[in-house]
Amino acid sequence: VIGHPKYQGSQRIAVFLSMPDEIQTEEIIKDIFKQGKECFIPRYKPQSNQMDMLKLSSVEDISSLTLTSWNILQPHDDDSTREEALAGGGLDLIFMPGLGFDKKGNRLGRGKGYYDTYLERCMKHPSGKPYTIALAFREQICESVPVAENDVQVDEILYED
């Protein structure tokens, strides 16, 4: 991931804070700060499909986040001090989680459409849609995954072969 040309060429990067059953992203986050890039993480809004990407100030900043009912660390609902990526310069790259992927770039998420809805918002931003890379285990690559009309394909899926 860290040697990937799209990562190397990106300054504003969104990355998920991994759950135990996902590709672990802690080392990616550390490298983002080490290279002086800007790091954004998701904040999901409950009872909706709305998600924002909020800026982290440092690796240590993760310890200030709150745990949601889904066991995901994210900025508190009333935290209005953080920059939202689309309120500023947009994003260059988004690392995306998922439950399953196919080689056409279709992604099976957790069913709420958070990333699809967010990418639709990105497409309306002056900087346009960021490049998207899904991080997966080889076992998550399927022949095909079910897709809906509003599902946005990922640009690339990285997994160990």
Side-chain angles (χ1 to χ4, degrees):
V1 170
I2 288 165
H4 194 288
K6 287 287 184 187
Y7 173 77
Q8 289 295 323
S10 294
Q11 185 59 32
R12 293 169 62 89
I13 301 169
V15 61
F16 59 98
L17 296 175
S18 44
M19 293 167 60
D21 62 345
E22 294 174 325
I23 296 289
Q24 297 300 295
T25 57
E26 190 180 337
E27 293 304 316
I28 298 169
I29 294 167
K30 286 179 184 172
D31 192 75
I32 289 171
F33 285 106
K34 191 172 106 189
Q35 293 203 32
K37 299 173 185 285
E38 294 174 89
C39 185
F40 295 82
I41 58 166
R43 178 172 67 190
Y44 306 93
K45 293 199 176 137
Q47 281 83 53
S48 78
N49 63 355
Q50 179 79 28
M51 175 179 76
D52 291 320
M53 291 292 184
L54 300 181
K55 190 171 185 176
L56 266 186
S57 58
S58 66
V59 175
E60 296 71 32
D61 190 13
I62 294 171
S63 65
S64 74
L65 304 176
T66 53
L67 206 55
T68 68
S69 58
W70 302 318
N71 261 351
I72 297 171
L73 283 173
Q74 68 177 26
H76 200 271
D77 289 344
D78 60 10
D79 184 343
S80 58
T81 60
R82 295 174 188 274
E83 176 192 342
E84 202 294 316
L86 297 179
L91 290 165
D92 303 317
L93 174 64
I94 298 179
F95 286 112
M96 296 173 65
L99 299 177
F101 308 91
D102 67 26
K103 292 189 175 169
K104 293 186 214 101
N106 294 312
R107 174 185 160 272
L108 182 67
R110 295 188 185 262
K112 298 270 188 205
Y114 287 110
Y115 279 90
D116 300 308
T117 305
Y118 192 77
L119 287 167
E120 291 292 332
R121 286 172 54 207
C122 290
M123 290 176 209
K124 295 178 178 115
H125 189 273
S127 67
K129 180 185 165 293
Y131 193 78
T132 54
I133 297 177
L135 302 177
F137 296 106
R138 185 175 44 79
E139 294 79 8
Q140 291 176 289
I141 309 301
C142 310
E143 199 58 48
S144 72
V145 297
V147 289
E149 196 178 297
N150 59 334
D151 287 345
V152 180
Q153 288 182 315
V154 294
D155 295 310
E156 192 172 341
I157 302 160
L158 288 185
Y159 61 95
E160 279 190 338
D161 206 3

